Amino acid sequence: MKLLIAGATGLIGKALVAECREAGIEVHYLTTQKEKIEEKEGCRGFFWNPKKGILDAEALEGVSAIINLAGASITKRWTSRYKKVLLQSRIETARALHQALQQNRHQVLHYISASGISIYPSSLVQLYHENETAISEHFLGAVVVQWEAAADAFEGLGIKVTKVRTGIVLSKDDGALPKMLKPIKMGLGAALGTGEQWQSWIHISDIAGIYLHLLQHQLEGVFNAVSPNPVTNKKMTLLLAQQYQKNIWLPNIPKWFLRLILGEMADIALESQLVASEKLLDAGYRFHFVNLENALEDLLG
Ligand SMILES: NC(=O)c1ccc[n+]([C@@H]2O[C@H](COP(=O)([O-])OP(=O)(O)OC[C@H]3O[C@@H](n4cnc5c(N)ncnc54)[C@H](OP(=O)(O)O)[C@@H]3O)[C@@H](O)[C@H]2O)c1
C-alpha cells in the first residue's frame, strides 16, 4: 500500500510516518519547505505550494489514500491576519489536493483529514459524541466547520472521507505538553481559569495508531480521537506536577490574565470539551494509553 501524507513533517505526521513504515506502508509526503524533502527507503518527499495550487503529480503515483494533517499552528498569537492563515492553510491544502485529483489520473479511494474537538461548544457537563449538532461559536469552531466541509468535497470525487476530531495531543517532543510543563518545572505551575474545564487528551502513539487504524480498516465519517478518560485542567496540572515532585501552591491563573497575555488564543486553555471515544472503540481501536497517569509515566517517567 502507498499513502500520501500532507503535513507529515509535524508532530503527528512524524509519529504517523514511523507507524506506517513499521506496518510496511510506503509513504509519499508533501511539504511546503524544500529543505524538508528527503528520500529514504519507503518514504519520499515532494514540494507543494497549496496556496498556488502547485503539487507534483508524481506524488500521487500508486497512492491509494491521502492523509491531510497540514495547517498553520494554532499556538501562534491570533492576530486578525494570522487567523486568516489558520483557516486558509487548512482550506487551501484540501483544495490543492482535490484539484490534483481532478486533474490527474489516480487510484485514491480514501481521504482522511485532521480535524479538531474545538468544533464542540465549551461545556462543563455535556459529553460530546460525533453526532453532536451544536457547534462552538468561537473562532476555532468556525475553522473546523470549514475545514471539515473542505474534506467533504472529496466525496464528490467518489472518495471515502474520514475526519479525525483530535484532542490535545501529548508528546514530549512538541505540542501542548512541553508548554504546560515549563512553569511546572520551575515550581510555578497553576491551574488555568477555574481549572474545572475538561481537557480531552490523546497520547501521541494513540493518535498515530488511530490514523493507521482508520486507514487500514477504511473507516469513513467523523471520529473523535481522544483517550477514553478526559481530565479537568486542575487534575492535568496536578498530575504533571507529580511527575516532577512539585507542589501546586499558586492560586489558579485567572481568565482575565490569560486573555491579557494570550489574547483570544486563551480559548485553547480555557474552553471545556468532554469528548467521548466510544465510536473508535466500537470500530475496534484499542488504546495504548487509557489513563493520563500511565500516559505521563510513559512520556515523562
Ligand atoms: N497536536 C494537537 O494537539 C492537535 C489537536 C487537534 C488538531 N490537530 C491538527 O492536526 C494536524 C496535525 O497536527 P500537528 O500537531 O502535527 O501539527 P504541526 O506539528 O503544526 O504540523 C503541521 C504541518 O502542517 C504544515 N504546515 C504548516 N503551516 C502550513 C501552511 N501555512 N500551509 C500548508 N501547510 C502548512 C507543516 O508541514 P511542512 O512544513 O512540511 O509543509 C507542518 O509540519 C493539524 O492540522 C492540527 O491543527 C492537532
Side-chain angles (χ1 to χ4, degrees):
M1 182 187 198
K2 199 188 279 179
L3 169 69
L4 176 64
I5 307 179
T9 61
L11 178 67
I12 298 173
K14 281 184 200 150
L16 178 60
V17 170
E19 287 264 343
C20 287
R21 293 305 304 126
E22 217 166 283
I25 297 169
E26 206 177 318
V27 175
H28 278 182
Y29 68 92
L30 298 170
T31 176
T32 58
Q33 311 289 322
K34 286 192 172 144
E35 65 276 13
K36 292 188 193 168
I37 296 175
E38 282 182 22
E39 192 166 344
K40 290 189 212 148
E41 208 206 317
C43 185
R44 184 172 171 203
F46 296 85
F47 173 74
W48 73 328
N49 183 330
K51 204 182 236 337
K52 294 187 177 160
I54 296 169
L55 194 163
D56 186 345
E58 214 185 326
L60 292 170
E61 270 175 23
V63 164
S64 60
I66 298 175
I67 294 183
N68 186 2
L69 303 169
S73 169
I74 64 159
T75 58
K76 285 191 192 154
R77 198 171 177 89
W78 295 2
T79 59
S80 52
R81 194 164 165 269
Y82 193 65
K83 277 162 92 173
K84 282 191 193 129
V85 174
L86 276 176
L87 174 64
Q88 286 307 323
S89 60
R90 286 168 173 79
I91 310 294
E92 282 161 359
T93 53
R95 278 204 196 129
L97 287 162
H98 188 275
Q99 190 183 311
L101 294 185
Q102 274 182 321
Q103 291 175 349
N104 295 283
R105 281 163 63 96
H106 67 85
Q107 300 91 49
V108 175
L109 302 167
H110 196 178
Y111 178 79
I112 306 178
S113 174
S115 178
I117 59 168
S118 43
I119 193 167
Y120 301 122
S122 185
S123 168
L124 294 179
V125 291
Q126 185 74 36
L127 175 66
Y128 289 119
H129 291 89
E130 290 82 348
N131 57 3
E132 177 61 50
T133 52
I135 288 168
S136 166
E137 286 173 3
H138 291 167
F139 169 66
L140 285 184
V143 169
V144 176
V145 168
Q146 293 177 71
W147 194 6
E148 291 197 352
D152 288 338
F154 287 77
E155 282 172 353
L157 300 175
I159 292 171
K160 282 185 180 179
V161 171
T162 312
K163 291 157 283 188
V164 186
R165 289 185 182 161
T166 308
I168 302 165
V169 176
L170 299 183
S171 160
K172 63 177 182 313
D173 301 326
D174 205 350
L177 188 58
K179 294 177 186 69
M180 291 191 277
L181 283 175
K182 227 181 201 174
I184 286 171
K185 283 185 184 168
M186 294 190 289
L188 297 172
L192 308 175
T194 63
E196 300 301 318
Q197 66 274 33
W198 288 102
Q199 299 199 305
S200 294
W201 59 275
I202 176 96
H203 188 290
I204 183 72
S205 75
D206 274 317
I207 188 67
I210 288 166
Y211 274 104
L212 198 61
H213 187 82
L214 296 169
L215 173 77
Q216 289 179 323
H217 295 85
Q218 296 179 34
L219 298 169
E220 57 187 319
V222 177
F223 287 86
N224 290 335
V226 297
S227 81
N229 290 299
V231 294
T232 62
N233 171 262
K234 193 171 167 187
K235 174 129 191 234
M236 171 83 80
T237 309
L238 287 172
L239 288 176
L240 288 173
Q242 259 176 30
Q243 284 293 324
Y244 292 92
Q245 286 86 45
K246 300 280 186 192
N247 289 321
I248 298 296
W249 56 275
L250 284 170
N252 291 10
I253 302 178
K255 264 186 190 182
W256 65 264
F257 183 71
L258 284 167
R259 290 215 191 280
L260 186 73
I261 51 169
L262 298 175
E264 201 179 340
M265 194 173 84
D267 278 357
I268 304 173
L270 295 172
E271 292 225 328
S272 176
Q273 275 105 7
L274 175 60
V275 178
S277 52
E278 272 106 331
K279 190 173 172 189
L280 262 180
L281 288 164
D282 291 346
Y285 183 71
R286 294 293 164 258
F287 283 86
H288 306 137
F289 297 96
V290 168
N291 294 310
L292 185 58
E293 288 87 338
N294 296 344
L296 293 181
E297 186 55 41
D298 175 72
L299 293 166
L300 307 171

